[in-house]
Amino acid sequence: DVQGKNGSVILRMCKGADTVKALSVMCHSYLDGYIDSAHHYGKGKAAFCLAPDDRRKASGVLVEWIEAHPESLTQPAAEVLQKALTERFPCKGGK
């Protein structure tokens, strides 16, 4: 029984991303992997859309979102990322 990461793990990784290089690499790598897989498995119907600049600022946006939604600390990381990215980076025009 393998249990995945939850919102609190993502928060710790991404909150320290601006000051600790290892956390920055971990946070951005985790986000990039999630974003790539969400777009691949969404088969062109992504729930969120990021402009080229958005990937760079996504970690800070994610920290803000998790802190505003404390219930997300115990939810599965993939669920937290999906909710946060969909809310903060909605697709325009039903993309």
Side-chain angles (χ1 to χ4, degrees):
D1 184 32
V2 178
Q3 190 171 10
K5 294 180 180 7
N6 63 23
S8 67
V9 174
I10 302 304
L11 179 63
R12 286 193 308 269
M13 273 194 304
C14 293
K15 194 167 189 171
D18 288 340
T19 56
V20 180
K21 184 161 179 68
L23 291 176
S24 177
V25 170
M26 290 168 60
C27 174
H28 290 282
S29 295
Y30 198 91
L31 273 170
D32 284 345
Y34 176 79
I35 290 166
D36 289 348
S37 65
H39 283 282
H40 175 76
Y41 290 107
K43 300 194 186 311
K45 296 179 183 174
F48 55 87
C49 296
L50 288 92
D53 245 13
D54 290 339
R55 279 198 187 227
R56 186 178 44 77
K57 62 183 177 183
S59 62
V61 168
L62 185 57
V63 167
E64 290 172 6
W65 191 91
I66 293 172
E67 288 178 338
H69 298 86
E71 71 282 1
S72 68
L73 293 171
T74 57
Q75 295 172 346
E79 189 176 315
V80 171
L81 290 170
Q82 183 72 10
K83 288 177 183 177
L85 293 172
T86 300
E87 185 178 307
R88 295 293 173 95
F89 300 101
C91 295
K92 293 170 180 53
K95 218 174 168 186

